[in-house]
Amino acid sequence: MVRKNRKFRDTCINFLNKVTDMNIGEKPILKSHAVPSGNFIEEPGERNVLLLGDAAGLGDPLTGEGIYYAHKSAELSARAISDFFNSSKDVNLVKAYKHYLNPVFKELRISKVFRDLAYTRLRYLAYLANSLKVYFELAKIIHGVSSYSNIFKLYIWIKAMLRV
């Protein structure tokens, strides 16, 4: 995109030069890294350090969306920290956080299954069946109207399609 849109690069450089002391040259070295998606960390922390959002690999495998999971993991880490400080028992911080994250892990596992289906056989089967049901159901998830755990009817339909 940057190669095709020189104005975008210039706008970014001008913005960064105005709001920072970095004095970026005309041809800065641009670096990036893929956000982990579908490979969340089973032990999202150690001792008194908790990993949140992308650092914990909490990107949605199907859509790549991560803002929701970043916010959700922050909320859940706050609960675990509260448990840690408010409990009279010896609470393991990472274990408490992982307990709160279990529903998120479940969602991401289901999403990974649908990602694998959507990017392989499912796409072609939906075209062959002349049905948009799969795409409408997945769109509901992408738009936050539905949840992966609420689409087992779709799973049954897909399973029936795969047998054909």
Side-chain angles (χ1 to χ4, degrees):
M1 178 178 144
V2 173
R3 278 183 263 140
K4 294 180 182 179
N5 190 349
R6 285 281 177 209
K7 199 172 192 176
F8 177 77
R9 179 189 295 249
D10 295 340
T11 301
C12 288
I13 292 169
N14 289 336
F15 172 77
L16 290 172
N17 283 332
K18 285 180 183 178
V19 299
T20 69
D21 295 332
M22 294 169 39
N23 195 18
I24 298 170
E26 288 190 27
K27 292 188 177 182
I29 298 171
L30 301 175
K31 296 182 179 182
S32 66
H33 191 279
V35 174
S37 176
N39 299 313
F40 60 85
I41 297 172
E42 295 279 348
E43 293 295 324
E46 188 173 328
R47 292 192 308 222
N48 63 346
V49 175
L50 302 177
L51 299 175
L52 310 177
D54 291 347
L58 300 179
D60 188 296
L62 179 64
T63 65
E65 193 278 326
I67 298 297
Y68 169 79
Y69 292 110
H71 286 246
K72 188 68 174 176
S73 61
E75 173 194 339
L76 299 176
S77 69
R79 286 186 192 174
I81 292 167
S82 178
D83 290 353
F84 180 79
F85 283 112
N86 295 325
S87 177
S88 59
K89 300 176 184 174
D90 190 22
V91 173
N92 180 312
L93 181 60
V94 177
K95 192 173 184 178
Y97 180 47
K98 187 176 176 181
H99 168 75
Y100 287 122
L101 276 175
N102 278 332
V104 172
F105 289 164
K106 179 182 176 186
E107 281 289 299
L108 295 176
R109 283 185 190 103
I110 296 169
S111 174
K112 192 172 183 178
V113 169
F114 278 93
R115 177 201 62 193
D116 293 345
L117 287 170
Y119 296 137
T120 57
R121 296 187 288 174
L122 180 60
R123 177 175 44 174
Y124 303 110
L125 288 172
Y127 285 127
L128 292 173
N130 196 21
S131 171
L132 294 177
K133 181 177 181 175
V134 172
Y135 293 104
F136 288 135
E137 291 301 318
L138 292 176
K140 287 180 189 175
I141 293 167
I142 291 168
H143 292 286
V145 175
S146 185
S147 165
Y148 289 111
S149 59
N150 293 332
I151 58 172
F152 286 109
K153 290 180 184 176
L154 180 61
Y155 171 74
I156 292 167
W157 182 83
I158 292 167
K159 205 170 174 183
M161 288 289 299
L162 292 174
R163 288 186 191 145
V164 175

